[in-house]
Amino acid sequence: MTLQIPLNDSSGESNSSVTGHHQPAWKWYHYFGFNVDHKVIGIQYLVTAFIFYLIGGLMAIAMRVELATPDPDIVQPDFYNALMTNHGTIMIFLWIVPSAIGGFGNYLVPLMVGARDMAFPKLNAIAFWLNPPAGALILGSFYFGGSQSGWTAYPPLSLVTAHHAQTMWILAIVLVGTSSILGSLNFVITILKMKVPSMKWDQLPLFCWAILATSVLALLSTPVLAAGLILLLFDLNFGTSFFKPDAGGNVIIYQHLFWFYSHPAVYLMILPIFGIMSEVIPVHARKPIFGYKAIAYSSLAICVVGLFVWVHHMFTSGTPGWMRMFFTISTLIVAVPTGVKIFGWVATLWGGKIRYTTAMLFAIGLLSMFVMGGLSGVTMGTAPFDIHVHDTYYVVAHFHYVLFGGSVFGIYAGIYHWFPKMTGRMLNEFLGKIHFILTFIGTNLTFLPMHKLGLQGMPRRVAMYDPQFTHLNELCTIGAIILGASVIPFTLNILFCWAFGRKAGDNPWNALSLEWTTSSPPLVENWEVLPVVTYGPYEYGMIHDTRHETETIIQLS
């Protein structure tokens, strides 16, 4: 984004007296305590989420090793159920959502809109610090056997298994839900009220559009899940019978409350990743993004339509025929704005001067993964097929292509892209490419065979299975081990380059969005003086010389 950076901000007032002139970047030890700076909070989110990703990943490998043979010879079925429940919970609520929204959102949104911080910095810090105790509750629940009812916590199963562990699980989800609501409120106010006046709405980076849509969706749907879980908590501990079928309760109402949030939760995870894709692809293709307005508005369309698809998870729950028809149609409609985004990214790549950096490889990898997951999603959105494959490994394959192939590849793309801005140092590209190759092979080897397992009828959520499925499960287990090994070069790369990596400079990719116009890492309040936006963030080739512009914009009057 081309900028002019005057001594005075747009209001004409001198900035030097109000902006903390010449404040340096934070020191490393500031990242270990309560801090209200959005950049510190963003990195705290990312690091904490990655730790939980490792924990959830170890649970997944333990399950896959168990499933290498048909019999339960490594872990007992009860413990397998606890691993399965908490693997899903950790990966969704403590890895993807906190890293994609909390991590990248907190770090980038104020920088991208020209603000010095989030609208409510203290509230922002409180939102982050709700996450570690939530993780402690989930891990602590293993002392009581671990919650075993699956991440959906459907009653009556959740009411009759592992009472104390289930209570801790519910409290953990309420904590992360509260964190999500506080964070979303902050994002909406920051984007609407704190963007620099010179930035027009059609100059707002697409990542910010995605975070805005995500936040609105979270504000509308998260309270519904919280209400359902609190009622479940009452049934567990205080003798109520909202969901106890033997006392007049209705278990189907719980499913409606759960999925009203938990299907939009897919979009809470994937919309910020779509935003990351829209930033990474044009920069590394060195070409203006195709269809800016269509991609921006498609985020809002997904936000709206995403609220009307939850029942497709309940086609086998006695759902009336007319509801099956309505929610089949609404589910298929979601594919339209999603397809708009994919078309826009492919059109951006077409004819671009592509740099095959690790960030770009993960972005292209995400495209293939998400298309695969999207196609299987279309098949499952239709009631007849969904009923056929319900609760089989076809479902596991689908949502891992969407959530792992979609979200995790996007998070990696974002880390490789913005690591130079966050730390001032470059990541090692050789280690990065090894990381990508292992991740790509491991993902496909783990989840591709699951489609066939599901079509052949292998049920999910069980530690034992018919021996006829053994060979495909062995392939899945080998893939999971490769996927686990892929984290090693990534972790080494991050740790080594954070301390000793090559200096990055302020704008190593010659990007045009606003965050690249300040120092790397940014100052405490982002800029010494507020920037003025004079052209859009994706106008590659439409200005005379990107490198020259980059040098110009960092000059202070």
Side-chain angles (χ1 to χ4, degrees):
M1 179 177 292
T2 302
L3 302 170
Q4 296 172 346
I5 306 181
L7 274 176
N8 297 336
D9 65 15
S10 57
S11 66
E13 296 177 350
S14 172
N15 294 288
S16 60
S17 62
V18 296
T19 61
H21 223 88
H22 301 299
Q23 294 190 56
W26 294 104
K27 302 295 183 184
W28 64 269
Y29 46 82
H30 291 123
Y31 292 82
F32 290 88
F34 190 88
N35 194 306
V36 297
D37 187 286
H38 71 97
K39 301 181 292 299
V40 175
I41 295 170
I43 290 179
Q44 286 175 328
Y45 265 113
L46 285 172
V47 172
T48 306
F50 184 70
I51 292 171
F52 283 116
Y53 173 57
L54 295 179
I55 295 170
L58 288 173
M59 293 180 181
I61 291 174
M63 286 189 291
R64 282 311 323 171
V65 170
E66 166 55 47
L67 291 171
T69 60
D71 298 321
D73 41 15
I74 305 296
V75 296
Q76 293 303 305
D78 286 349
F79 189 62
Y80 179 90
N81 288 340
L83 287 175
M84 180 264 298
T85 299
N86 290 292
H87 160 73
T89 303
I90 287 174
M91 289 305 199
I92 291 172
F93 294 107
L94 293 170
W95 158 236
I96 298 177
V97 171
S99 57
I101 305 175
F104 289 106
N106 269 293
Y107 198 94
L108 294 172
V109 165
L111 286 168
M112 285 183 164
V113 302
R116 298 201 177 282
D117 208 323
M118 297 287 285
F120 308 110
K122 291 182 180 177
L123 198 66
N124 202 24
I126 292 170
F128 164 72
W129 284 104
L130 291 176
N131 285 270
L137 280 170
I138 287 177
L139 297 179
S141 71
F142 278 96
Y143 180 77
F144 300 101
S147 53
Q148 300 173 20
S149 57
W151 81 284
T152 56
Y154 277 0
L157 186 60
S158 56
L159 297 174
V160 298
T161 57
H163 178 275
H164 295 303
Q166 194 67 51
T167 299
M168 294 171 74
W169 184 91
I170 292 172
L171 292 174
I173 302 307
V174 171
L175 278 179
V176 294
T178 305
S179 169
S180 179
I181 291 171
L182 297 180
S184 298
L185 185 66
N186 223 340
F187 283 126
V188 171
I189 301 298
T190 301
I191 294 172
L192 294 183
K193 294 296 184 181
M194 297 183 68
K195 116 181 133 53
V196 286
S198 56
M199 178 181 283
K200 301 174 183 175
W201 282 106
D202 61 1
Q203 293 175 318
L204 187 70
L206 288 166
F207 178 77
C208 297
W209 278 108
I211 290 292
L212 181 63
T214 304
S215 300
V216 172
L217 193 57
L219 289 173
L220 293 174
S221 62
T222 308
V224 177
L225 174 67
L229 290 179
I230 290 171
L231 296 180
L232 186 63
L233 185 73
F234 273 56
D235 278 5
L236 263 173
N237 295 283
F238 302 112
T240 58
S241 56
F242 296 105
F243 306 126
K244 291 178 180 174
D246 56 348
N250 190 327
V251 296
I252 299 300
I253 290 178
Y254 174 84
Q255 294 186 26
H256 281 289
L257 294 174
F258 179 84
W259 286 114
F260 185 80
Y261 165 82
S262 295
H263 188 81
V266 174
Y267 306 116
L268 297 184
M269 289 181 267
I270 206 67
L271 275 173
I273 302 301
F274 287 167
I276 291 172
M277 290 284 285
S278 298
E279 302 301 325
V280 171
I281 287 178
V283 169
H284 295 268
R286 288 175 284 187
K287 186 183 171 191
I289 196 157
F290 184 88
Y292 169 91
K293 290 184 178 178
I295 292 177
Y297 297 155
S298 67
S299 293
L300 302 179
I302 291 173
C303 167
V304 174
V305 181
L307 289 169
F308 297 95
V309 300
W310 79 92
V311 172
H312 74 225
H313 293 274
M314 301 167 57
F315 284 153
T316 60
S317 300
T319 306
W322 69 268
M323 288 185 72
R324 289 177 176 175
M325 180 68 74
F326 175 82
F327 284 97
T328 292
I329 294 171
S330 63
T331 300
L332 297 181
I333 288 175
V334 175
V336 176
T338 307
V340 167
K341 289 181 180 294
I342 293 173
F343 179 77
W345 298 329
V346 173
T348 304
L349 290 171
W350 186 270
K353 298 177 181 178
I354 299 175
R355 294 178 290 203
Y356 289 99
T357 59
T358 307
M360 189 58 152
L361 290 177
F362 271 108
I364 295 172
L366 183 150
L367 269 176
S368 62
M369 298 289 171
F370 193 79
V371 168
M372 184 76 178
L375 291 175
S376 61
V378 169
T379 62
M380 291 180 54
T382 55
F385 189 85
D386 179 84
I387 291 170
H388 176 68
V389 299
H390 184 76
D391 264 345
T392 70
Y393 260 80
Y394 190 90
V395 181
V396 181
H398 159 67
F399 69 69
H400 277 91
Y401 265 94
V402 172
L403 294 185
F404 191 94
S407 296
V408 178
F409 273 60
I411 290 170
Y412 281 141
I415 289 175
Y416 282 97
H417 181 67
W418 280 293
F419 186 85
K421 176 54 60 183
M422 294 176 178
T423 66
R425 296 182 183 275
M426 301 295 293
L427 283 170
N428 182 285
E429 280 292 312
F430 178 71
L431 284 174
K433 288 180 170 60
I434 292 176
H435 174 214
F436 168 75
I437 291 169
L438 290 176
T439 307
F440 190 83
I441 293 173
T443 302
N444 283 291
L445 193 56
T446 304
F447 302 118
L448 192 60
M450 291 183 185
H451 291 95
K452 188 172 182 180
L453 284 171
L455 291 173
Q456 291 178 340
M458 177 173 168
R460 60 173 175 158
R461 297 174 173 167
V462 292
M464 296 177 287
Y465 55 84
D466 192 298
Q468 66 171 312
F469 303 124
T470 302
H471 295 313
L472 287 174
N473 272 291
E474 288 173 346
L475 281 179
C476 295
T477 300
I478 294 171
I481 292 171
I482 294 174
L483 205 49
S486 71
V487 177
I488 296 173
F490 173 73
T491 307
L492 293 175
N493 203 357
I494 290 285
L495 294 177
F496 180 81
C497 291
W498 204 330
F500 308 109
R502 179 167 56 87
K503 294 287 181 64
D506 293 342
N507 189 3
W509 311 124
N510 287 329
L512 301 180
S513 47
L514 204 54
E515 75 274 20
W516 298 101
T517 65
T518 186
S519 60
S520 299
L523 304 173
V524 169
E525 293 186 343
N526 298 342
W527 291 276
E528 293 188 345
V529 289
L530 291 176
V532 175
V533 180
T534 58
Y535 62 76
Y538 308 108
E539 297 181 2
Y540 301 96
M542 300 168 68
I543 54 178
H544 52 277
D545 181 18
T546 301
R547 185 175 297 278
H548 172 72
E549 294 290 344
T550 303
E551 294 170 355
T552 301
I553 58 179
I554 63 174
Q555 292 176 0
L556 301 178
S557 302

